[in-house]
Amino acid sequence: MPRIPGSRPPVGLVRDSDLVSIFARRDPASRRYEKVGDIMQSPPPTVGPDMSVQKAIMKSFSDHSRLLVVTDREGKVVGVVTRIDLVKGIRFRPVND
């Protein structure tokens, strides 16, 4: 992920589903989207690096986003996490028979 020294906190997130829905439309109304700011989710869904995997999964679903921006205490981006990443992080307990 690119890092920009002294960068500000993220202002938005463009989801792949947003792009697909725009390109899939064939009506003239879809032409109103001319800039990234027109379609981005703002503010972006963010989590801290210390948030539990379970809470992050719940936030992902409540925010309707398959990607969460990970920010530090100052709000600067330190990474991103996807739902797939979160599912991989779940530790399952064996079922006792």
Side-chain angles (χ1 to χ4, degrees):
M1 174 180 348
R3 294 289 309 225
I4 302 168
S7 63
R8 298 178 298 171
V11 294
L13 174 70
V14 176
R15 301 173 296 188
D16 58 342
S17 59
D18 297 326
L19 295 173
V20 170
S21 68
I22 289 170
F23 286 112
R25 292 184 196 146
R26 296 179 189 263
D27 62 71
S30 66
R31 294 187 183 133
R32 70 175 189 235
Y33 303 113
E34 295 180 5
K35 298 178 183 176
V36 172
D38 297 336
I39 62 169
M40 72 181 181
Q41 183 180 4
S42 182
T46 60
V47 295
D50 296 327
M51 181 179 277
S52 73
V53 170
Q54 290 79 6
K55 285 184 180 179
I57 289 172
M58 295 304 295
K59 181 163 180 60
S60 170
F61 281 99
S62 68
D63 289 349
H64 307 287
S65 184
R66 293 188 307 249
L67 180 126
L68 299 171
V69 179
V70 182
T71 57
D72 64 13
R73 292 180 197 265
E74 289 79 40
K76 293 184 181 176
V77 176
V78 296
V80 295
V81 64
T82 66
R83 281 188 189 164
I84 299 295
D85 296 331
L86 294 169
V87 169
K88 288 178 182 177
I90 296 173
R91 291 185 173 78
F92 293 98
R93 295 182 182 156
V95 177
N96 295 330
D97 291 320

